[in-house]
Amino acid sequence: MAAWGERLAGVRGVLLDISGVLYDGGEGGGAPIVGSVEALARLKRSQLKVRFCTNESQKSRGDLVGMLRRLGFDISEGEVTAPAPATCLILKERGLRPHLLIHDGVRSEFDQIDTSNPNCVVIADAGEGFSYQNMNKAFQVLMELENPVLFSLGKGRYYKETSGLMLDVGPYMKALEYACGIEAEVVGKPSPEFFKSALREMRVEAHQAIMIGDDIVGDISGAQRCGMRALQVRTGKFSPKCRA
Amino acid sequence: MAAWGERLAGVRGVLLDISGVLYDGGEGGGAPIVGSVEALARLKRSQLKVRFCTNESQKSRGDLVGMLRRLGFDISEGEVTAPAPATCLILKERGLRPHLLIHDGVRSEFDQIDTSNPNCVVIADAGEGFSYQNMNKAFQVLMELENPVLFSLGKGRYYKETSGLMLDVGPYMKALEYACGIEAEVVGKPSPEFFKSALREMRVEAHQAIMIGDDIVGDISGAQRCGMRALQVRTGKFSPKCRA
């Protein structure tokens, strides 16, 4: 393995995943991962550009940043690339009106979006909102469309809360894909468009950036496919079984 | 297209799907499909052997047969091949203790099964039971096993109730498969073992049998792959869009 200096040569920007890297979510807002508040502060004092690239879709960026600041992190809303605002841009560009199967905590991000007479479905990590009734409603909306369009805010398999592993949006995306015989459009990691938008916002080229995350697929492979370097932490959902 | 006489030459036994062929389920127990009570009575008066081959997994065979008899159908419990009893045989053979994610209506079929300290998961069409909490529990049980084993009672995409299309177990099987990175073992149509057990119980060879159903994958392709003939009805979930 090459020395760290060599592996990080030419790096100008750092993209940080949030859940599992900065903190583990859970009851009462979750808890910072040991050392992460200090590590971020040190990064911010360095010459490196820092940006946050998250698939968080249970909270609006405002709520997410507020929670992280209360935990001690130096972070502001303008530094966060997240799937919900990226989805709103796509919906507006394509004139789509979504049926939303999302967590109440992120609903405010869609305030400016017309949801009447829906012609597509948007799903995000809805947590308890993934009831049979809500899934069936999303399914029925899709089946009534001539060309069903399904957006999924990320496609993570699961994440880790302080209470244990929790199903993410990905399994529910797969459920609707199978039920309707369609393929979802993923907005969020590991979509290349999503990483590219984060790089644009950071004003750093892919070969000058490193992604730090706990998800071998969403963070690591995704970033590498975009020409970035990537580093997997051993916190969050990291498991020695899931390195391949 | 060959004439009916030619297409049915040598047929000695008829396997009938139930939901979408005999009746459409729904509020208040559902409703018989027009003409089906009489058609079944006529079949029973013929020389043909008749057996019912269903993926119904919300109800025990006893409850299903009771409901169908009240709707006017000539059917008895011993004539029904269903996934829950087939699964119980497999669990006993392999010494497996399931965590059950199933509808309360079918729970009695598992009365004789040890569910302590589970080493596998069984999912069936749980309807409203497919809550986030219940799905997450099944996911956590699987993730804690060294060799996760998931049984799915059928893998249907959806079925039709009087109130509209409803998600079946298949999408939830796909969700758990994706979340855990595993492949489920399907007990029920279109599994060849399931059709073969129905044929054995009817004492008819595959080439002497015809399957009648509304599901192009579960009923029609599945039966044909076993060497049976098959006939798709235009009731239930049949849609001209889904013939291929």
Side-chain angles (χ1 to χ4, degrees), chain A residues 143-216:
Chain A
M143 290 296 275
E144 277 163 21
L145 297 173
E146 193 161 354
N147 296 304
V149 176
L150 171 63
F151 292 100
S152 182
L153 276 59
K155 60 172 188 177
R157 292 161 59 198
Y158 56 86
Y159 51 91
K160 193 185 165 203
E161 295 222 325
T162 45
S163 58
L165 299 182
M166 306 293 283
L167 287 170
D168 199 350
V169 65
Y172 289 92
M173 173 192 87
K174 289 287 173 187
L176 289 176
E177 285 186 337
Y178 178 72
C180 304
I182 60 174
E183 195 170 334
E185 300 184 31
V186 177
V187 185
K189 301 175 288 186
S191 152
E193 289 72 22
F194 192 72
F195 282 116
K196 284 177 194 161
S197 71
L199 289 169
R200 268 197 309 274
E201 288 157 334
M202 192 165 53
R203 296 187 190 177
V204 162
E205 301 288 323
H207 70 274
Q208 300 170 321
I210 187 163
M211 172 78 210
I212 299 177
D214 64 335
D215 188 313
I216 190 73

Side-chain angles (χ1 to χ4, degrees), chain B residues 42 45 145 153 159 162 181 234:
Chain B
R42 201 171 149 195
R45 287 195 304 269
L145 296 174
L153 276 59
Y159 51 90
T162 45
R234 289 173 170 260

Side-chain angles (χ1 to χ4, degrees), chain B residues 126-199:
Chain B
E128 300 282 344
F130 282 130
S131 65
Y132 181 75
Q133 199 178 5
N134 287 348
M135 280 291 285
N136 213 49
K137 177 64 191 169
F139 162 68
Q140 289 174 344
V141 169
L142 286 168
M143 290 296 276
E144 277 163 21
L145 296 174
E146 193 162 352
N147 296 305
V149 176
L150 171 63
F151 293 99
S152 182
L153 276 59
K155 61 172 188 177
R157 293 162 58 198
Y158 56 86
Y159 51 90
K160 193 185 164 201
E161 294 221 326
T162 45
S163 58
L165 298 183
M166 305 294 283
L167 288 170
D168 199 350
V169 67
Y172 289 93
M173 174 192 87
K174 289 287 173 188
L176 290 175
E177 284 185 337
Y178 178 73
C180 303
I182 60 174
E183 195 170 333
E185 301 183 30
V186 176
V187 184
K189 301 176 286 185
S191 152
E193 289 73 21
F194 192 71
F195 281 116
K196 284 176 194 162
S197 70
L199 289 169

Side-chain angles (χ1 to χ4, degrees), chain A residues 57 82-96 98-100 102 106 109-110 113 120-124 150-154 185-188 194 197:
Chain A
S57 60
T87 304
C88 290
L89 284 177
I90 295 170
L91 293 170
K92 283 176 185 165
E93 274 169 21
R94 290 165 53 179
L96 291 168
H99 170 80
L100 298 170
I102 62 176
V106 79
E109 296 273 17
F110 293 87
I113 299 292
C120 71
V121 168
V122 169
I123 62 166
L150 171 63
F151 292 100
S152 182
L153 276 59
E185 300 184 31
V186 177
V187 185
F194 192 72
S197 71

Side-chain angles (χ1 to χ4, degrees), chain B residues 179-236:
Chain B
C180 303
I182 60 174
E183 195 170 333
E185 301 183 30
V186 176
V187 184
K189 301 176 286 185
S191 152
E193 289 73 21
F194 192 71
F195 281 116
K196 284 176 194 162
S197 70
L199 289 169
R200 267 197 309 276
E201 288 157 333
M202 192 165 53
R203 298 189 189 174
V204 162
E205 302 286 324
H207 71 275
Q208 300 170 321
I210 186 163
M211 172 77 209
I212 298 177
D214 64 333
D215 188 314
I216 192 73
V217 175
D219 297 321
I220 308 304
S221 304
Q224 287 174 338
R225 277 209 309 276
C226 286
M228 298 163 63
R229 280 165 271 191
L231 192 153
Q232 188 180 21
V233 295
R234 289 173 170 260
T235 51

